[in-house]
Amino acid sequence: MIPKNKLNLTNPIELAQQEEKLTKKRAVALWGDPQLATYAAGSVQRLTAIHHYLFQDIYDFAGELRTINIVKGHFRFAPVIYLSQALQAIEQMPQATFDEIVEKYVEMNVAHPFREGNGRSMCIWLDDILKQELGYIINWTKIDKTDYLLAMERSPIKDLELKHLLKEALTDEMNNRELYLKGIDSSYDYEGLNQYKASEL
């Protein structure tokens, strides 16, 4: 089912192309934007602010918690009836160590708070936490797409594989804009969206 969108598009391919283009432009503009600093790194408010910023040109529900249940493959994300409760619990999770941060990331993925765009928003959110707490970010270009998707799929049961992948890709190049843009491209590629390069938008 095609989500209702501000562009009034009904063709899924055309919608995917426009979504990638417009939200990637927003992701590029997000670099160094001070408005996110209003919310604490790792907070639900910070994640919803990121989502709203990215998707405001496409969906009326940008930055709003989903009101429907969603399933991807054989995995059912947190039931909408428990979503608010789950997010409150996630927000209280510690984030002082690398392991704690990844565990929080895994739980947020299980919650999957938005109807669309969870993965792309969460990659930025994760880097924000790592930067704030540890002085590192992920070099997403070092992570193989298939390895990452499989590790994420298995992470609710066992997160050691995901922790290993992410730890091997840590870098202290937090102020490297080119690396940030490549990371945006990687997060979109995980969703099969790779028609546009962030550096060209």
Side-chain angles (χ1 to χ4, degrees), residues 2 38 105 168 182 197-198:
I2 307 301
T38 307
Y105 180 62
E168 289 295 303
K182 288 180 178 179
K197 293 290 185 185

Side-chain angles (χ1 to χ4, degrees), residues 75-172:
F75 189 81
R76 184 179 299 274
F77 296 102
V80 70
I81 192 171
Y82 301 121
L83 181 57
S84 292
Q85 182 179 349
L87 292 175
Q88 288 175 16
I90 292 168
E91 189 152 57
Q92 298 305 313
M93 291 178 70
Q95 56 184 51
T97 68
F98 175 80
D99 282 358
E100 288 175 350
I101 292 169
V102 175
E103 287 158 14
K104 190 168 188 174
Y105 180 62
V106 168
E107 289 304 312
M108 187 61 81
N109 184 58
V110 172
H112 238 61
F114 312 113
R115 182 171 176 181
E116 301 283 342
N118 289 276
R120 286 162 281 172
S121 301
M122 283 175 51
C123 283
I124 296 173
W125 183 74
L126 173 61
D127 272 336
D128 277 348
I129 306 174
L130 289 167
K131 186 187 300 185
Q132 172 75 26
E133 301 293 344
L134 305 180
Y136 289 95
I137 58 171
I138 304 293
N139 181 347
W140 294 98
T141 66
K142 288 189 173 182
I143 300 176
D144 178 78
K145 174 181 177 178
T146 301
D147 290 345
Y148 174 76
L149 293 177
L150 287 173
M152 285 296 286
E153 185 179 331
R154 291 191 275 257
S155 65
I157 298 170
K158 194 170 186 178
D159 61 15
L160 291 179
E161 184 180 358
L162 179 63
K163 285 176 178 175
H164 175 74
L165 276 177
L166 296 180
K167 196 164 209 173
E168 289 295 303
L170 285 177
T171 176
D172 61 1

Side-chain angles (χ1 to χ4, degrees), residues 14-90:
E14 190 176 357
L15 176 59
Q17 290 173 342
Q18 289 302 310
E19 181 185 304
E20 179 188 359
K21 184 178 182 181
L22 293 174
T23 60
K24 263 190 182 175
K25 278 185 176 181
R26 287 287 185 182
V28 171
L30 192 59
W31 168 262
D33 193 301
Q35 67 174 302
L36 290 183
T38 307
Y39 309 102
S43 66
V44 174
Q45 290 87 350
R46 181 100 159 208
L47 181 59
T48 56
I50 291 168
H51 188 272
H52 178 267
Y53 194 94
L54 296 184
F55 291 90
Q56 61 185 297
D57 302 312
I58 304 289
Y59 301 119
D60 286 328
F61 58 76
E64 296 181 3
L65 301 183
R66 60 181 167 88
T67 57
I68 59 171
N69 290 322
I70 52 176
V71 178
K72 183 177 285 187
H74 299 292
F75 189 81
R76 184 179 299 274
F77 296 102
V80 70
I81 192 171
Y82 301 121
L83 181 57
S84 292
Q85 182 179 349
L87 292 175
Q88 288 175 16
I90 292 168

